[in-house]
Tab-separated table of all heavy atoms in Angstrom:
chain	number	residue	atom	x	y	z
T	1	GLY	N	22.037	39.519	57.762
T	1	GLY	CA	21.915	39.902	59.164
T	1	GLY	C	20.506	40.294	59.550
T	1	GLY	O	20.104	40.134	60.719
T	2	ALA	N	19.732	40.808	58.596
T	2	ALA	CA	18.358	41.237	58.875
T	2	ALA	C	17.376	40.075	58.900
T	2	ALA	O	16.218	40.234	59.304
T	2	ALA	CB	17.911	42.267	57.851
T	3	ALA	N	17.799	38.894	58.460
T	3	ALA	CA	16.930	37.719	58.433
T	3	ALA	C	17.027	36.989	59.773
T	3	ALA	O	17.993	36.286	60.039
T	3	ALA	CB	17.324	36.805	57.279
T	4	ARG	N	16.007	37.190	60.619
T	4	ARG	CA	15.976	36.463	61.892
T	4	ARG	C	15.701	34.995	61.580
T	4	ARG	O	14.859	34.675	60.730
T	4	ARG	CB	14.893	37.036	62.807
T	4	ARG	CG	15.132	38.504	63.158
T	4	ARG	CD	14.121	39.021	64.169
T	4	ARG	NE	12.750	38.960	63.685
T	4	ARG	CZ	12.206	39.852	62.863
T	4	ARG	NH1	12.943	40.856	62.399
T	4	ARG	NH2	10.955	39.743	62.483
T	5	HIS	N	16.393	34.105	62.267
T	5	HIS	CA	16.231	32.698	61.892
T	5	HIS	C	16.241	31.786	63.113
T	5	HIS	O	16.735	32.139	64.195
T	5	HIS	CB	17.346	32.270	60.931
T	5	HIS	CG	18.714	32.253	61.538
T	5	HIS	ND1	19.314	31.102	62.000
T	5	HIS	CD2	19.611	33.246	61.766
T	5	HIS	CE1	20.507	31.393	62.472
T	5	HIS	NE2	20.724	32.682	62.344
T	6	GLY	N	15.677	30.614	62.935
T	6	GLY	CA	15.660	29.586	63.955
T	6	GLY	C	15.464	28.235	63.306
T	6	GLY	O	15.456	28.107	62.074
T	7	SER	N	15.323	27.223	64.119
T	7	SER	CA	15.149	25.871	63.583
T	7	SER	C	14.257	25.063	64.500
T	7	SER	O	14.050	25.412	65.667
T	7	SER	CB	16.509	25.178	63.437
T	7	SER	OG	17.129	25.018	64.702
T	8	VAL	N	13.734	23.987	63.954
T	8	VAL	CA	12.927	23.047	64.737
T	8	VAL	C	13.610	21.697	64.672
T	8	VAL	O	13.953	21.202	63.584
T	8	VAL	CB	11.483	22.952	64.202
T	8	VAL	CG1	10.708	21.882	64.965
T	8	VAL	CG2	10.791	24.306	64.319
T	9	ARG	N	13.780	21.129	65.827
T	9	ARG	CA	14.484	19.851	65.932
T	9	ARG	C	13.637	18.877	66.742
T	9	ARG	O	12.827	19.309	67.582
T	9	ARG	CB	15.828	20.089	66.620
T	9	ARG	CG	16.816	18.954	66.561
T	9	ARG	CD	18.162	19.410	67.110
T	9	ARG	NE	18.684	20.568	66.379
T	9	ARG	CZ	19.687	21.328	66.808
T	9	ARG	NH1	20.260	21.077	67.962
T	9	ARG	NH2	20.094	22.358	66.080
T	10	ILE	N	13.805	17.629	66.521
T	10	ILE	CA	13.093	16.610	67.271
T	10	ILE	C	13.974	16.135	68.429
T	10	ILE	O	15.125	15.731	68.222
T	10	ILE	CB	12.701	15.413	66.387
T	10	ILE	CG1	11.795	15.875	65.239
T	10	ILE	CG2	12.005	14.328	67.200
T	10	ILE	CD1	11.488	14.808	64.219
T	11	ALA	N	13.457	16.200	69.655
T	11	ALA	CA	14.213	15.793	70.830
T	11	ALA	C	14.483	14.288	70.782
T	11	ALA	O	13.604	13.501	70.411
T	11	ALA	CB	13.458	16.146	72.106
T	12	THR	N	15.680	13.899	71.152
T	12	THR	CA	16.040	12.475	71.153
T	12	THR	C	16.157	11.896	72.554
T	12	THR	O	16.295	10.684	72.711
T	12	THR	CB	17.390	12.277	70.431
T	12	THR	OG1	18.387	13.072	71.092
T	12	THR	CG2	17.294	12.713	68.970
T	13	GLU	N	16.119	12.769	73.577
T	13	GLU	CA	16.216	12.284	74.943
T	13	GLU	C	15.546	13.293	75.880
T	13	GLU	O	15.277	14.430	75.520
T	13	GLU	CB	17.678	12.093	75.354
T	13	GLU	CG	18.508	13.353	75.259
T	13	GLU	CD	19.975	13.103	75.576
T	13	GLU	OE1	20.415	11.937	75.472
T	13	GLU	OE2	20.663	14.078	75.911
T	14	ARG	N	15.304	12.859	77.083
T	14	ARG	CA	14.707	13.741	78.094
T	14	ARG	C	15.776	14.716	78.577
T	14	ARG	O	16.901	14.328	78.870
T	14	ARG	CB	14.189	12.922	79.274
T	14	ARG	CG	13.293	13.694	80.232
T	14	ARG	CD	12.690	12.750	81.268
T	14	ARG	NE	11.618	13.403	81.999
T	14	ARG	CZ	11.785	14.141	83.093
T	14	ARG	NH1	12.997	14.287	83.596
T	14	ARG	NH2	10.757	14.709	83.693
T	15	ALA	N	15.414	16.006	78.612
T	15	ALA	CA	16.396	17.015	79.009
T	15	ALA	C	15.690	18.250	79.537
T	15	ALA	O	14.493	18.472	79.276
T	15	ALA	CB	17.280	17.397	77.826
T	16	LEU	N	16.423	19.046	80.302
T	16	LEU	CA	15.904	20.300	80.826
T	16	LEU	C	16.364	21.428	79.927
T	16	LEU	O	17.561	21.589	79.659
T	16	LEU	CB	16.409	20.531	82.255
T	16	LEU	CG	15.920	21.811	82.944
T	16	LEU	CD1	14.404	21.787	83.088
T	16	LEU	CD2	16.599	21.979	84.301
T	17	THR	N	15.434	22.243	79.411
T	17	THR	CA	15.747	23.357	78.529
T	17	THR	C	15.236	24.648	79.155
T	17	THR	O	14.541	24.635	80.170
T	17	THR	CB	15.094	23.192	77.152
T	17	THR	OG1	13.685	23.469	77.257
T	17	THR	CG2	15.277	21.768	76.612
T	18	TRP	N	15.551	25.782	78.530
T	18	TRP	CA	15.050	27.063	79.000
T	18	TRP	C	13.524	27.121	78.938
T	18	TRP	O	12.887	27.876	79.680
T	18	TRP	CB	15.629	28.200	78.151
T	18	TRP	CG	17.051	28.520	78.468
T	18	TRP	CD1	18.141	28.213	77.727
T	18	TRP	CD2	17.532	29.206	79.630
T	18	TRP	NE1	19.290	28.656	78.335
T	18	TRP	CE2	18.946	29.283	79.510
T	18	TRP	CE3	16.911	29.768	80.742
T	18	TRP	CZ2	19.736	29.885	80.469
T	18	TRP	CZ3	17.700	30.381	81.699
T	18	TRP	CH2	19.105	30.436	81.577
T	19	ALA	N	12.944	26.336	78.046
T	19	ALA	CA	11.485	26.347	77.887
T	19	ALA	C	10.810	25.238	78.689
T	19	ALA	O	9.617	25.000	78.547
T	19	ALA	CB	11.127	26.217	76.410
T	20	GLY	N	11.575	24.519	79.504
T	20	GLY	CA	11.025	23.436	80.304
T	20	GLY	C	11.618	22.099	79.910
T	20	GLY	O	12.512	22.008	79.075
T	21	THR	N	11.080	21.056	80.483
T	21	THR	CA	11.588	19.701	80.234
T	21	THR	C	11.013	19.165	78.934
T	21	THR	O	9.825	19.292	78.660
T	21	THR	CB	11.215	18.764	81.388
T	21	THR	OG1	11.753	19.283	82.610
T	21	THR	CG2	11.779	17.375	81.148
T	22	CYS	N	11.892	18.574	78.130
T	22	CYS	CA	11.445	17.934	76.898
T	22	CYS	C	11.572	16.434	77.022
T	22	CYS	O	12.387	15.925	77.806
T	22	CYS	CB	12.238	18.443	75.694
T	22	CYS	SG	13.969	17.893	75.666
T	23	GLU	N	10.734	15.715	76.238
T	23	GLU	CA	10.763	14.265	76.194
T	23	GLU	C	11.115	13.825	74.781
T	23	GLU	O	10.928	14.588	73.817
T	23	GLU	CB	9.386	13.700	76.578
T	23	GLU	CG	8.893	14.098	77.950
T	23	GLU	CD	9.685	13.463	79.088
T	23	GLU	OE1	10.421	12.478	78.814
T	23	GLU	OE2	9.577	13.934	80.226
T	24	PRO	N	11.636	12.617	74.612
T	24	PRO	CA	11.933	12.129	73.257
T	24	PRO	C	10.719	12.241	72.349
T	24	PRO	O	9.598	11.885	72.750
T	24	PRO	CB	12.330	10.671	73.492
T	24	PRO	CG	12.850	10.650	74.895
T	24	PRO	CD	12.003	11.631	75.650
T	25	GLY	N	10.923	12.773	71.139
T	25	GLY	CA	9.833	12.942	70.190
T	25	GLY	C	9.216	14.320	70.201
T	25	GLY	O	8.474	14.677	69.275
T	26	ASN	N	9.501	15.138	71.235
T	26	ASN	CA	8.978	16.503	71.265
T	26	ASN	C	9.605	17.335	70.154
T	26	ASN	O	10.731	17.089	69.715
T	26	ASN	CB	9.283	17.170	72.603
T	26	ASN	CG	8.377	16.731	73.733
T	26	ASN	OD1	8.693	16.927	74.898
T	26	ASN	ND2	7.245	16.120	73.418
T	27	GLY	N	8.846	18.352	69.714
T	27	GLY	CA	9.397	19.322	68.798
T	27	GLY	C	10.028	20.466	69.580
T	27	GLY	O	9.434	20.971	70.536
T	28	LEU	N	11.235	20.868	69.212
T	28	LEU	CA	11.961	21.919	69.911
T	28	LEU	C	12.150	23.107	68.972
T	28	LEU	O	12.740	22.973	67.898
T	28	LEU	CB	13.336	21.426	70.381
T	28	LEU	CG	13.366	20.143	71.219
T	28	LEU	CD1	14.798	19.773	71.551
T	28	LEU	CD2	12.537	20.295	72.487
T	29	GLY	N	11.641	24.267	69.363
T	29	GLY	CA	11.860	25.485	68.602
T	29	GLY	C	13.094	26.186	69.126
T	29	GLY	O	13.167	26.547	70.310
T	30	ILE	N	14.100	26.393	68.259
T	30	ILE	CA	15.415	26.894	68.680
T	30	ILE	C	15.732	28.200	67.955
T	30	ILE	O	15.544	28.307	66.742
T	30	ILE	CB	16.513	25.846	68.381
T	30	ILE	CG1	16.209	24.525	69.084
T	30	ILE	CG2	17.893	26.365	68.781
T	30	ILE	CD1	17.079	23.372	68.649
T	31	ALA	N	16.206	29.179	68.701
T	31	ALA	CA	16.696	30.428	68.112
T	31	ALA	C	17.830	30.925	68.983
T	31	ALA	O	17.754	30.846	70.217
T	31	ALA	CB	15.586	31.476	68.023
């Protein structure tokens, strides 16, 4: 529980996220 964690994923399509619009190939930092 004390280990804060997240992941990085590669976007596969154009989409609107909380951090703005992503394009295919962008790196997405997720927590």
Side-chain angles (χ1 to χ4, degrees):
R4 299 185 299 280
H5 67 99
S7 63
V8 175
R9 193 172 302 166
I10 300 173
T12 58
E13 59 184 21
R14 193 173 192 273
L16 181 62
T17 75
W18 284 106
T21 302
C22 70
E23 301 291 344
N26 283 163
L28 307 178
I30 302 169

